[in-house]
Short mmCIF file of all heavy atoms in Angstrom, two decimals:
data_model
loop_
_atom_site.label_atom_id
_atom_site.label_comp_id
_atom_site.label_asym_id
_atom_site.label_seq_id
_atom_site.Cartn_x
_atom_site.Cartn_y
_atom_site.Cartn_z
N GLU A 206 3.25 -7.58 11.86
CA GLU A 206 3.63 -6.26 12.34
C GLU A 206 5.05 -6.21 12.80
O GLU A 206 5.71 -5.18 12.56
CB GLU A 206 2.69 -5.83 13.44
CG GLU A 206 1.27 -5.52 13.00
CD GLU A 206 0.37 -5.06 14.08
OE1 GLU A 206 0.86 -4.47 15.03
OE2 GLU A 206 -0.84 -5.35 13.99
N ALA A 207 5.52 -7.29 13.35
CA ALA A 207 6.89 -7.27 13.87
C ALA A 207 7.86 -7.16 12.76
O ALA A 207 8.90 -6.47 12.82
CB ALA A 207 7.19 -8.58 14.68
N LEU A 208 7.60 -7.84 11.57
CA LEU A 208 8.46 -7.75 10.45
C LEU A 208 8.54 -6.33 9.93
O LEU A 208 9.62 -5.82 9.51
CB LEU A 208 8.02 -8.69 9.33
CG LEU A 208 8.61 -10.07 9.34
CD1 LEU A 208 7.96 -10.88 8.18
CD2 LEU A 208 10.10 -10.13 9.24
N CYS A 209 7.46 -5.63 9.95
CA CYS A 209 7.39 -4.29 9.39
C CYS A 209 8.05 -3.27 10.29
O CYS A 209 8.40 -2.19 9.88
CB CYS A 209 5.94 -3.87 9.12
SG CYS A 209 5.21 -4.78 7.80
N ALA A 210 8.34 -3.64 11.53
CA ALA A 210 9.04 -2.76 12.45
C ALA A 210 10.52 -2.79 12.22
O ALA A 210 11.24 -1.97 12.67
CB ALA A 210 8.75 -3.13 13.90
N LEU A 211 10.96 -3.80 11.49
CA LEU A 211 12.37 -3.92 11.20
C LEU A 211 12.75 -2.97 10.04
O LEU A 211 11.98 -2.76 9.13
CB LEU A 211 12.72 -5.34 10.76
CG LEU A 211 12.48 -6.42 11.77
CD1 LEU A 211 12.72 -7.80 11.13
CD2 LEU A 211 13.39 -6.24 13.00
N PRO A 212 13.94 -2.38 10.09
CA PRO A 212 14.37 -1.53 9.03
C PRO A 212 14.65 -2.33 7.73
O PRO A 212 15.18 -3.44 7.83
CB PRO A 212 15.62 -0.86 9.51
CG PRO A 212 16.13 -1.75 10.57
CD PRO A 212 14.93 -2.46 11.14
N PHE A 213 14.27 -1.82 6.61
CA PHE A 213 14.55 -2.50 5.36
C PHE A 213 14.69 -1.43 4.27
O PHE A 213 14.24 -0.31 4.42
CB PHE A 213 13.53 -3.54 4.99
CG PHE A 213 12.09 -3.04 4.78
CD1 PHE A 213 11.59 -2.67 3.61
CD2 PHE A 213 11.29 -2.95 5.92
CE1 PHE A 213 10.36 -2.17 3.45
CE2 PHE A 213 9.99 -2.44 5.80
CZ PHE A 213 9.54 -2.06 4.58
N ALA A 214 15.30 -1.77 3.16
CA ALA A 214 15.57 -0.80 2.10
C ALA A 214 14.45 -0.78 1.03
O ALA A 214 14.71 -0.99 -0.14
CB ALA A 214 16.93 -1.13 1.45
N HIS A 215 13.22 -0.61 1.47
CA HIS A 215 12.06 -0.46 0.60
C HIS A 215 11.64 -1.75 -0.13
O HIS A 215 10.70 -1.72 -0.86
CB HIS A 215 12.26 0.66 -0.41
CG HIS A 215 12.51 1.97 0.25
ND1 HIS A 215 11.54 2.66 0.89
CD2 HIS A 215 13.64 2.72 0.35
CE1 HIS A 215 12.08 3.80 1.37
NE2 HIS A 215 13.36 3.83 1.03
N ALA A 216 12.36 -2.85 0.07
CA ALA A 216 12.05 -4.05 -0.56
C ALA A 216 12.30 -5.20 0.37
O ALA A 216 13.43 -5.31 0.94
CB ALA A 216 12.74 -4.27 -1.89
N LEU A 217 11.34 -6.06 0.58
CA LEU A 217 11.51 -7.25 1.41
C LEU A 217 11.26 -8.44 0.50
O LEU A 217 10.20 -8.62 -0.10
CB LEU A 217 10.47 -7.23 2.54
CG LEU A 217 10.44 -8.40 3.50
CD1 LEU A 217 11.82 -8.55 4.22
CD2 LEU A 217 9.36 -8.25 4.51
N ARG A 218 12.34 -9.23 0.34
CA ARG A 218 12.26 -10.38 -0.54
C ARG A 218 12.27 -11.63 0.36
O ARG A 218 13.19 -11.86 1.13
CB ARG A 218 13.43 -10.41 -1.51
CG ARG A 218 13.33 -11.56 -2.53
CD ARG A 218 14.42 -11.49 -3.54
NE ARG A 218 14.43 -10.26 -4.33
CZ ARG A 218 13.76 -10.05 -5.48
NH1 ARG A 218 13.03 -11.06 -5.98
NH2 ARG A 218 13.77 -8.97 -6.09
N LEU A 219 11.26 -12.45 0.21
CA LEU A 219 11.16 -13.69 0.94
C LEU A 219 11.55 -14.88 0.07
O LEU A 219 11.09 -14.95 -1.09
CB LEU A 219 9.74 -13.93 1.48
CG LEU A 219 9.19 -12.89 2.46
CD1 LEU A 219 7.75 -13.23 2.87
CD2 LEU A 219 10.12 -12.78 3.67
N ASP A 220 12.35 -15.78 0.60
CA ASP A 220 12.77 -16.97 -0.14
C ASP A 220 11.63 -17.98 -0.07
O ASP A 220 11.31 -18.49 0.97
CB ASP A 220 14.03 -17.54 0.48
CG ASP A 220 14.53 -18.79 -0.21
OD1 ASP A 220 13.90 -19.25 -1.21
OD2 ASP A 220 15.53 -19.34 0.23
N ALA A 221 11.03 -18.24 -1.21
CA ALA A 221 9.90 -19.17 -1.29
C ALA A 221 10.31 -20.48 -1.96
O ALA A 221 9.46 -21.21 -2.47
CB ALA A 221 8.73 -18.52 -2.04
N SER A 222 11.60 -20.76 -1.99
CA SER A 222 12.07 -21.91 -2.75
C SER A 222 11.61 -23.22 -2.18
O SER A 222 11.55 -24.24 -2.88
CB SER A 222 13.59 -21.93 -2.86
OG SER A 222 14.17 -21.89 -1.57
N ASP A 223 11.24 -23.25 -0.89
CA ASP A 223 10.69 -24.50 -0.29
C ASP A 223 9.14 -24.54 -0.39
O ASP A 223 8.54 -25.50 0.09
CB ASP A 223 11.10 -24.60 1.15
CG ASP A 223 12.59 -24.96 1.29
OD1 ASP A 223 13.12 -25.60 0.36
OD2 ASP A 223 13.18 -24.59 2.31
N MET A 224 8.53 -23.53 -0.97
CA MET A 224 7.07 -23.45 -1.05
C MET A 224 6.64 -24.14 -2.31
O MET A 224 6.87 -23.64 -3.43
CB MET A 224 6.61 -22.01 -1.03
CG MET A 224 5.11 -21.88 -1.08
SD MET A 224 4.55 -20.14 -0.85
CE MET A 224 4.94 -19.41 -2.43
N GLU A 225 6.06 -25.31 -2.22
CA GLU A 225 5.61 -26.09 -3.37
C GLU A 225 4.27 -25.56 -3.89
O GLU A 225 4.04 -25.53 -5.09
CB GLU A 225 5.54 -27.55 -3.02
CG GLU A 225 6.91 -28.15 -2.71
CD GLU A 225 6.83 -29.61 -2.35
OE1 GLU A 225 5.76 -30.24 -2.56
OE2 GLU A 225 7.83 -30.09 -1.85
N THR A 226 3.40 -25.20 -2.96
CA THR A 226 2.12 -24.57 -3.29
C THR A 226 1.68 -23.74 -2.11
O THR A 226 2.42 -23.65 -1.14
CB THR A 226 1.04 -25.65 -3.67
OG1 THR A 226 -0.11 -25.00 -4.22
CG2 THR A 226 0.68 -26.50 -2.45
N ILE A 227 0.55 -23.12 -2.18
CA ILE A 227 0.09 -22.31 -1.07
C ILE A 227 -1.42 -22.45 -0.89
O ILE A 227 -2.16 -22.51 -1.86
CB ILE A 227 0.50 -20.82 -1.31
CG1 ILE A 227 0.18 -19.98 -0.07
CG2 ILE A 227 -0.17 -20.26 -2.53
CD1 ILE A 227 0.87 -18.65 -0.03
N LEU A 228 -1.79 -22.57 0.36
CA LEU A 228 -3.20 -22.73 0.70
C LEU A 228 -3.74 -21.40 1.19
O LEU A 228 -2.99 -20.42 1.38
CB LEU A 228 -3.39 -23.73 1.81
CG LEU A 228 -2.87 -25.19 1.44
CD1 LEU A 228 -3.06 -26.07 2.64
CD2 LEU A 228 -3.62 -25.76 0.25
N THR A 229 -5.05 -21.25 1.32
CA THR A 229 -5.70 -20.00 1.67
C THR A 229 -5.12 -19.34 2.91
O THR A 229 -4.80 -18.12 2.83
CB THR A 229 -7.20 -20.22 1.81
OG1 THR A 229 -7.75 -20.69 0.55
CG2 THR A 229 -7.93 -18.87 2.12
N PRO A 230 -4.92 -20.01 4.03
CA PRO A 230 -4.34 -19.32 5.20
C PRO A 230 -2.98 -18.69 4.94
O PRO A 230 -2.71 -17.58 5.33
CB PRO A 230 -4.25 -20.40 6.28
CG PRO A 230 -5.25 -21.43 5.85
CD PRO A 230 -5.21 -21.41 4.38
N GLY A 231 -2.11 -19.43 4.23
CA GLY A 231 -0.81 -18.87 3.88
C GLY A 231 -0.89 -17.68 2.95
O GLY A 231 -0.16 -16.71 3.11
N LEU A 232 -1.80 -17.77 2.01
CA LEU A 232 -2.03 -16.64 1.10
C LEU A 232 -2.51 -15.42 1.85
O LEU A 232 -2.08 -14.27 1.60
CB LEU A 232 -3.00 -17.03 -0.01
CG LEU A 232 -3.31 -15.98 -1.06
CD1 LEU A 232 -2.05 -15.57 -1.80
CD2 LEU A 232 -4.33 -16.53 -2.02
N GLN A 233 -3.44 -15.60 2.82
CA GLN A 233 -3.92 -14.50 3.64
C GLN A 233 -2.79 -13.86 4.42
O GLN A 233 -2.72 -12.62 4.49
CB GLN A 233 -5.02 -15.01 4.58
CG GLN A 233 -6.28 -15.40 3.84
CD GLN A 233 -7.32 -16.07 4.71
OE1 GLN A 233 -6.96 -16.71 5.70
NE2 GLN A 233 -8.59 -15.90 4.36
N VAL A 234 -1.88 -14.64 4.94
CA VAL A 234 -0.73 -14.12 5.68
C VAL A 234 0.14 -13.30 4.76
O VAL A 234 0.56 -12.16 5.09
CB VAL A 234 0.03 -15.22 6.38
CG1 VAL A 234 1.39 -14.73 6.89
CG2 VAL A 234 -0.74 -15.85 7.49
N LEU A 235 0.42 -13.85 3.59
CA LEU A 235 1.28 -13.09 2.62
C LEU A 235 0.64 -11.75 2.20
O LEU A 235 1.30 -10.78 2.08
CB LEU A 235 1.58 -13.95 1.40
CG LEU A 235 2.59 -15.05 1.61
CD1 LEU A 235 2.68 -15.91 0.38
CD2 LEU A 235 3.97 -14.51 2.03
N LEU A 236 -0.67 -11.80 1.96
CA LEU A 236 -1.37 -10.56 1.53
C LEU A 236 -1.40 -9.55 2.65
O LEU A 236 -1.24 -8.33 2.41
CB LEU A 236 -2.73 -10.91 1.00
CG LEU A 236 -2.81 -11.69 -0.28
CD1 LEU A 236 -4.25 -12.09 -0.65
CD2 LEU A 236 -2.13 -10.94 -1.41
N ALA A 237 -1.58 -10.00 3.84
CA ALA A 237 -1.53 -9.11 5.02
C ALA A 237 -0.17 -8.48 5.20
O ALA A 237 -0.01 -7.27 5.45
CB ALA A 237 -1.98 -9.79 6.28
N LEU A 238 0.89 -9.32 5.01
CA LEU A 238 2.20 -8.83 5.11
C LEU A 238 2.54 -7.84 4.01
O LEU A 238 3.15 -6.79 4.23
CB LEU A 238 3.24 -9.98 5.06
CG LEU A 238 4.68 -9.63 5.11
CD1 LEU A 238 5.04 -8.84 6.42
CD2 LEU A 238 5.58 -10.86 5.01
N GLU A 239 2.07 -8.13 2.80
CA GLU A 239 2.28 -7.25 1.67
C GLU A 239 1.64 -5.84 2.00
O GLU A 239 2.23 -4.81 1.74
CB GLU A 239 1.70 -7.78 0.39
CG GLU A 239 1.81 -6.86 -0.82
CD GLU A 239 1.14 -7.38 -2.06
OE1 GLU A 239 0.03 -7.97 -1.96
OE2 GLU A 239 1.66 -7.16 -3.12
N LYS A 240 0.44 -5.86 2.55
CA LYS A 240 -0.25 -4.61 2.87
C LYS A 240 0.50 -3.87 3.96
O LYS A 240 0.66 -2.67 3.84
CB LYS A 240 -1.68 -4.95 3.38
CG LYS A 240 -2.51 -3.76 3.63
CD LYS A 240 -3.88 -4.15 4.07
CE LYS A 240 -4.78 -2.96 4.31
NZ LYS A 240 -6.15 -3.34 4.74
N SER A 241 1.02 -4.55 4.96
CA SER A 241 1.78 -3.91 6.00
C SER A 241 3.09 -3.31 5.51
O SER A 241 3.46 -2.21 5.89
CB SER A 241 2.06 -4.84 7.13
OG SER A 241 0.88 -5.25 7.80
N VAL A 242 3.77 -4.08 4.66
CA VAL A 242 5.03 -3.60 4.09
C VAL A 242 4.77 -2.38 3.20
O VAL A 242 5.51 -1.36 3.26
CB VAL A 242 5.74 -4.74 3.33
CG1 VAL A 242 6.90 -4.18 2.53
CG2 VAL A 242 6.24 -5.82 4.29
N ALA A 243 3.71 -2.41 2.42
CA ALA A 243 3.37 -1.26 1.56
C ALA A 243 3.04 -0.04 2.42
O ALA A 243 3.40 1.07 2.07
CB ALA A 243 2.18 -1.60 0.68
N ALA A 244 2.35 -0.20 3.53
CA ALA A 244 2.03 0.87 4.44
C ALA A 244 3.27 1.53 5.01
O ALA A 244 3.29 2.71 5.33
CB ALA A 244 1.10 0.40 5.56
N ALA A 245 4.35 0.72 5.11
CA ALA A 245 5.61 1.23 5.63
C ALA A 245 6.50 1.79 4.52
O ALA A 245 7.63 2.18 4.72
CB ALA A 245 6.38 0.10 6.37
N GLY A 246 5.90 1.84 3.28
CA GLY A 246 6.62 2.39 2.17
C GLY A 246 7.50 1.42 1.40
O GLY A 246 8.32 1.77 0.61
N GLY A 247 7.25 0.11 1.59
CA GLY A 247 8.12 -0.89 0.96
C GLY A 247 7.33 -1.79 0.00
O GLY A 247 6.12 -1.58 -0.25
N THR A 248 7.99 -2.75 -0.52
CA THR A 248 7.41 -3.75 -1.44
C THR A 248 7.83 -5.12 -1.02
O THR A 248 8.99 -5.34 -0.64
CB THR A 248 7.92 -3.46 -2.87
OG1 THR A 248 7.63 -2.12 -3.23
CG2 THR A 248 7.20 -4.37 -3.89
N LEU A 249 6.96 -6.06 -1.07
CA LEU A 249 7.23 -7.47 -0.72
C LEU A 249 7.31 -8.27 -2.00
O LEU A 249 6.46 -8.13 -2.91
CB LEU A 249 6.04 -8.03 0.14
CG LEU A 249 6.13 -9.49 0.49
CD1 LEU A 249 7.32 -9.78 1.39
CD2 LEU A 249 4.85 -9.94 1.12
N PHE A 250 8.35 -9.09 -2.08
CA PHE A 250 8.52 -10.00 -3.26
C PHE A 250 8.79 -11.38 -2.70
O PHE A 250 9.39 -11.57 -1.67
CB PHE A 250 9.72 -9.57 -4.09
CG PHE A 250 9.59 -8.26 -4.75
CD1 PHE A 250 10.37 -7.21 -4.35
CD2 PHE A 250 8.75 -8.04 -5.80
CE1 PHE A 250 10.26 -5.94 -4.95
CE2 PHE A 250 8.60 -6.86 -6.40
CZ PHE A 250 9.37 -5.77 -5.98
N LEU A 251 8.36 -12.36 -3.51
CA LEU A 251 8.72 -13.77 -3.22
C LEU A 251 9.67 -14.19 -4.33
O LEU A 251 9.47 -13.93 -5.49
CB LEU A 251 7.47 -14.66 -3.28
CG LEU A 251 6.36 -14.43 -2.28
CD1 LEU A 251 5.20 -15.34 -2.48
CD2 LEU A 251 6.90 -14.60 -0.88
N SER A 252 10.73 -14.88 -3.95
CA SER A 252 11.63 -15.41 -4.94
C SER A 252 11.75 -16.91 -4.84
O SER A 252 11.62 -17.47 -3.76
CB SER A 252 13.04 -14.75 -4.80
OG SER A 252 13.60 -15.12 -3.57
N GLY A 253 11.92 -17.54 -5.96
CA GLY A 253 12.16 -18.99 -5.96
C GLY A 253 10.93 -19.85 -5.86
O GLY A 253 11.04 -21.04 -5.66
N ALA A 254 9.72 -19.28 -5.92
CA ALA A 254 8.51 -20.07 -5.78
C ALA A 254 8.36 -21.04 -6.95
O ALA A 254 8.73 -20.76 -8.05
CB ALA A 254 7.27 -19.14 -5.78
N SER A 255 7.87 -22.24 -6.64
CA SER A 255 7.67 -23.25 -7.68
C SER A 255 6.63 -22.82 -8.67
O SER A 255 5.90 -21.84 -8.37
CB SER A 255 7.26 -24.59 -7.04
OG SER A 255 5.91 -24.46 -6.53
N GLU A 256 6.55 -23.48 -9.77
CA GLU A 256 5.55 -23.17 -10.77
C GLU A 256 4.11 -23.32 -10.22
O GLU A 256 3.26 -22.52 -10.47
CB GLU A 256 5.74 -24.08 -12.02
CG GLU A 256 4.76 -23.69 -13.12
CD GLU A 256 4.99 -24.50 -14.39
OE1 GLU A 256 5.99 -25.21 -14.54
OE2 GLU A 256 4.14 -24.42 -15.31
N ALA A 257 3.92 -24.38 -9.40
CA ALA A 257 2.61 -24.61 -8.80
C ALA A 257 2.24 -23.47 -7.84
O ALA A 257 1.12 -23.01 -7.84
CB ALA A 257 2.56 -25.93 -8.05
N ALA A 258 3.22 -23.03 -7.06
CA ALA A 258 2.95 -21.88 -6.18
C ALA A 258 2.67 -20.59 -6.94
O ALA A 258 1.81 -19.83 -6.64
CB ALA A 258 4.14 -21.68 -5.22
N ARG A 259 3.46 -20.36 -8.01
CA ARG A 259 3.23 -19.19 -8.86
C ARG A 259 1.85 -19.26 -9.47
O ARG A 259 1.14 -18.25 -9.52
CB ARG A 259 4.30 -19.11 -9.96
CG ARG A 259 5.70 -18.76 -9.37
CD ARG A 259 6.71 -18.40 -10.46
NE ARG A 259 6.75 -19.25 -11.58
CZ ARG A 259 7.47 -20.32 -11.74
NH1 ARG A 259 8.25 -20.72 -10.73
NH2 ARG A 259 7.43 -21.06 -12.84
N ASP A 260 1.46 -20.44 -9.96
CA ASP A 260 0.12 -20.57 -10.53
C ASP A 260 -0.96 -20.26 -9.49
O ASP A 260 -1.97 -19.61 -9.78
CB ASP A 260 -0.09 -21.98 -11.11
CG ASP A 260 0.70 -22.26 -12.40
OD1 ASP A 260 1.18 -21.27 -13.00
OD2 ASP A 260 0.84 -23.42 -12.75
N ALA A 261 -0.81 -20.79 -8.29
CA ALA A 261 -1.78 -20.55 -7.24
C ALA A 261 -1.86 -19.08 -6.90
O ALA A 261 -2.96 -18.49 -6.74
CB ALA A 261 -1.44 -21.31 -5.99
N LEU A 262 -0.72 -18.39 -6.82
CA LEU A 262 -0.73 -16.93 -6.54
C LEU A 262 -1.39 -16.18 -7.65
O LEU A 262 -2.16 -15.23 -7.42
CB LEU A 262 0.71 -16.43 -6.32
CG LEU A 262 1.34 -16.90 -5.00
CD1 LEU A 262 2.85 -16.66 -5.05
CD2 LEU A 262 0.76 -16.16 -3.82
N ASP A 263 -1.11 -16.57 -8.89
CA ASP A 263 -1.73 -15.97 -10.06
C ASP A 263 -3.27 -16.13 -10.03
O ASP A 263 -3.99 -15.15 -10.24
CB ASP A 263 -1.15 -16.54 -11.35
CG ASP A 263 -1.61 -15.77 -12.56
OD1 ASP A 263 -1.62 -14.48 -12.53
OD2 ASP A 263 -1.91 -16.40 -13.60
N LEU A 264 -3.72 -17.33 -9.78
CA LEU A 264 -5.17 -17.59 -9.71
C LEU A 264 -5.85 -16.78 -8.58
O LEU A 264 -6.99 -16.43 -8.72
CB LEU A 264 -5.44 -19.09 -9.53
CG LEU A 264 -5.21 -19.99 -10.70
CD1 LEU A 264 -5.29 -21.45 -10.33
CD2 LEU A 264 -6.17 -19.63 -11.83
N ALA A 265 -5.13 -16.51 -7.53
CA ALA A 265 -5.68 -15.79 -6.38
C ALA A 265 -5.56 -14.26 -6.59
O ALA A 265 -6.00 -13.51 -5.75
CB ALA A 265 -4.96 -16.20 -5.10
N GLY A 266 -4.99 -13.86 -7.75
CA GLY A 266 -4.85 -12.45 -8.00
C GLY A 266 -3.67 -11.84 -7.23
O GLY A 266 -3.68 -10.61 -7.01
N ALA A 267 -2.76 -12.63 -6.79
CA ALA A 267 -1.61 -12.14 -5.98
C ALA A 267 -0.31 -12.29 -6.76
O ALA A 267 0.75 -12.33 -6.09
CB ALA A 267 -1.59 -12.91 -4.64
N SER A 268 -0.34 -12.33 -8.05
CA SER A 268 0.87 -12.47 -8.80
C SER A 268 1.80 -11.26 -8.63
O SER A 268 2.99 -11.35 -8.98
CB SER A 268 0.57 -12.75 -10.28
OG SER A 268 -0.17 -11.68 -10.84
N SER A 269 1.30 -10.17 -8.13
CA SER A 269 2.13 -9.00 -7.92
C SER A 269 3.27 -9.29 -6.94
O SER A 269 4.31 -8.67 -6.94
CB SER A 269 1.33 -7.80 -7.40
OG SER A 269 0.74 -8.13 -6.12
N LEU A 270 3.07 -10.32 -6.06
CA LEU A 270 4.09 -10.69 -5.13
C LEU A 270 5.30 -11.32 -5.88
O LEU A 270 6.39 -11.38 -5.33
CB LEU A 270 3.57 -11.73 -4.15
CG LEU A 270 2.52 -11.27 -3.13
CD1 LEU A 270 1.94 -12.42 -2.37
CD2 LEU A 270 3.12 -10.24 -2.23
N LEU A 271 5.10 -11.69 -7.13
CA LEU A 271 6.15 -12.31 -7.90
C LEU A 271 6.82 -11.35 -8.85
O LEU A 271 7.78 -11.72 -9.51
CB LEU A 271 5.56 -13.48 -8.69
CG LEU A 271 4.96 -14.60 -7.84
CD1 LEU A 271 4.15 -15.55 -8.73
CD2 LEU A 271 6.00 -15.34 -7.05
N SER A 272 6.40 -10.11 -8.87
CA SER A 272 7.02 -9.16 -9.79
C SER A 272 8.46 -9.02 -9.44
O SER A 272 8.85 -8.85 -8.33
CB SER A 272 6.33 -7.79 -9.62
OG SER A 272 5.01 -7.85 -10.01
N GLY A 273 9.27 -9.12 -10.48
CA GLY A 273 10.71 -9.00 -10.33
C GLY A 273 11.35 -10.24 -9.81
O GLY A 273 12.55 -10.33 -9.67
N ALA A 274 10.57 -11.21 -9.41
CA ALA A 274 11.14 -12.48 -8.90
C ALA A 274 11.07 -13.56 -9.95
O ALA A 274 10.00 -13.95 -10.38
CB ALA A 274 10.36 -12.93 -7.66
N LYS A 275 12.21 -14.03 -10.33
CA LYS A 275 12.26 -15.02 -11.38
C LYS A 275 12.30 -16.40 -10.72
O LYS A 275 12.81 -16.53 -9.65
CB LYS A 275 13.55 -14.89 -12.23
CG LYS A 275 13.54 -13.61 -13.01
CD LYS A 275 14.79 -13.42 -13.78
CE LYS A 275 14.82 -12.07 -14.48
NZ LYS A 275 16.08 -11.75 -15.04
N PRO A 276 11.70 -17.41 -11.35
CA PRO A 276 11.74 -18.75 -10.75
C PRO A 276 13.17 -19.18 -10.47
O PRO A 276 14.09 -19.00 -11.26
CB PRO A 276 11.16 -19.67 -11.87
CG PRO A 276 10.35 -18.75 -12.71
CD PRO A 276 11.04 -17.41 -12.63
N GLY A 277 13.38 -19.68 -9.21
CA GLY A 277 14.69 -20.08 -8.79
C GLY A 277 15.57 -18.95 -8.39
O GLY A 277 16.75 -19.14 -7.99
N ALA A 278 15.07 -17.72 -8.46
CA ALA A 278 15.94 -16.56 -8.10
C ALA A 278 16.11 -16.43 -6.62
O ALA A 278 15.36 -16.88 -5.85
CB ALA A 278 15.36 -15.30 -8.73
#
């Protein structure tokens, strides 16, 4: 909630370059953040996620977090 209280230009991009993979608790946090950002009229993106992290997000049905984010971007 605190992140969503900050002003942003409709897009919040998180640097995931250090994220090698993601476990369920982390995924739940990202999905909750995505929902909160969307409620504030914005979009959440992850950039730079590893292939393993992208695969995990895809398998969890959360690949929308990667839209517009290219590997290493």
Side-chain angles (χ1 to χ4, degrees):
E206 289 182 29
L208 271 177
C209 292
L211 298 173
F213 60 93
H215 302 288
L217 178 61
R218 185 176 300 270
L219 298 180
D220 179 2
S222 58
D223 288 333
M224 183 173 74
E225 294 177 15
T226 191
I227 187 164
L228 301 176
T229 301
L232 182 58
Q233 290 171 332
V234 169
L235 286 175
L236 293 175
L238 179 59
E239 178 185 38
K240 185 177 179 180
S241 295
V242 169
T248 306
L249 174 67
F250 295 110
L251 297 178
S252 64
S255 69
E256 184 175 350
R259 291 192 315 270
D260 289 345
L262 288 165
D263 188 43
L264 287 172
S268 59
S269 64
L270 291 173
L271 299 168
S272 296
K275 297 177 182 171

